[in-house]
Amino acid sequence: MKNKTGTKILLWLLILSLAAPLSLRAQTAEQSMVGEQTHLYSQEELDRLLAPIALYPDNLLSQFLMAATYPLEVVEADRWIKQNQNLTADQLDAALQDKSWDVSVKSLCYFPNVLAMMSDKLTLTNEMGNAFLSQQEQVMNTIQSLRAKAQAQGNLISTDKQNVVVQEGDISIEPVTPDVVYVPAYDPCWVYGPWWYPACAPLWFWYPGIVVGAGFFFGPAVFIGPLDFWGGFRWHRREMFVHKPGRMHGGT
């Protein structure tokens, strides 16, 4: 009996000695993940991240930020779009119905250049998504602050392509024609006036195919269908909403 008892004790000690390092490693990994999830971006980091996209129209910007929280789906969608460039609007509508991607990622399939930009600069995309998930109110405050700076410089105005609406101190950017969206391109070091940190070095995140200097430019028109595919902002509540996917037509 003593031998059997001694053997059992040795076995338990062996098991515990093996399990303890695994437990510690698991705990360390879990703590590391929590640390990554709770990383808070400074105001300077948020200004740098958001400056290149803060002047996007609300319906596109809302989808951009939400899609940024699904970076792997963004990459997958970008690769799929590049392999299916010949799909017509109706064919693209039908093909997207079978995709399991988030609605925001699906909506950006009608903006292949924007999707490609997000995929190519995946680190920035991931950072934007993380910031939006952990600091949504501050992200939305930053967007409003950046828009106010651009407006004060005379660089954010209503045109034949966008309506700039100020309501209760919040600035919304809406398409002039509800089913046509233009993607703006601009130099963040110019459009907001003198950069308010020691050096102007925003992370470039421009619309591809356009050479940007001093000025405010637009990419080609993108024709969209019913707006129930889209989402937007409730600025007064610092909230974002996303509708269920409906039917949408895109263009180049």
Side-chain angles (χ1 to χ4, degrees):
M1 283 293 291
K2 290 183 179 180
N3 288 338
K4 290 183 178 181
T5 302
T7 301
K8 288 182 180 180
I9 291 173
L10 288 174
L11 286 173
W12 276 112
L13 289 174
L14 179 61
I15 291 171
L16 288 173
S17 66
L18 292 173
L22 292 175
S23 176
L24 289 173
R25 284 198 295 270
Q27 185 177 3
T28 301
E30 183 178 354
Q31 289 173 344
S32 177
M33 290 177 64
V34 170
E36 292 177 0
Q37 291 171 356
T38 58
H39 169 72
L40 294 180
Y41 292 83
S42 68
Q43 188 58 58
E44 181 175 359
E45 288 176 315
L46 291 178
D47 286 345
R48 285 166 53 83
L49 278 172
L50 296 166
I53 62 169
L55 305 186
Y56 279 14
D58 285 9
N59 53 6
L60 175 58
L61 180 58
S62 61
Q63 300 299 299
F64 188 110
L65 290 174
M66 182 59 71
T69 67
Y70 298 92
L72 296 182
E73 291 187 7
V74 166
V75 173
E76 186 178 353
D78 174 54
R79 291 175 179 174
W80 181 81
I81 283 292
K82 288 175 179 176
Q83 294 171 357
N84 295 275
Q85 297 182 28
N86 296 325
L87 289 178
T88 65
D90 288 335
Q91 291 171 337
L92 183 56
D93 284 337
L96 286 175
Q97 297 300 319
D98 296 331
K99 297 299 180 182
S100 61
W101 305 324
D102 184 77
V103 59
S104 59
V105 177
K106 289 184 180 182
S107 72
L108 291 182
C109 288
Y110 297 88
F111 295 82
N113 287 332
V114 173
L115 194 64
M117 176 178 63
M118 296 178 72
S119 179
D120 290 344
K121 299 186 177 181
L122 195 60
T123 298
L124 294 182
T125 297
N126 188 55
E127 289 184 355
M128 289 182 190
N130 289 339
F132 183 69
L133 286 174
S134 61
Q135 297 165 259
Q136 179 174 320
E137 183 175 354
Q138 191 175 358
V139 164
M140 294 180 70
N141 285 338
T142 300
I143 291 169
Q144 284 298 321
S145 174
L146 290 167
R147 288 181 173 185
K149 289 178 183 293
Q151 189 178 53
Q153 294 294 318
N155 296 326
L156 180 60
I157 60 175
S158 294
T159 68
D160 61 340
K161 295 178 174 61
Q162 66 179 19
N163 283 325
V164 177
V165 180
V166 181
Q167 187 174 15
E168 298 181 359
D170 292 323
I171 301 172
S172 299
I173 303 175
E174 304 168 352
V176 170
T177 304
D179 59 350
V180 180
V181 175
Y182 292 88
V183 182
Y186 51 86
D187 182 350
C189 286
W190 168 83
V191 75
Y192 301 110
W195 196 248
W196 44 99
Y197 295 108
C200 175
L203 300 171
W204 307 110
F205 211 77
W206 288 344
Y207 192 88
I210 296 179
V211 178
V212 179
F216 197 97
F217 307 90
F218 290 95
V222 177
F223 300 91
I224 64 176
L227 293 181
D228 64 352
F229 199 103
W230 287 85
F233 297 100
R234 296 187 181 96
W235 289 112
H236 63 292
R237 296 182 180 178
R238 293 299 187 260
E239 294 176 352
M240 193 183 80
F241 64 89
V242 179
H243 288 304
K244 296 292 184 180
R247 183 175 176 77
M248 178 177 175
H249 290 300
T252 58

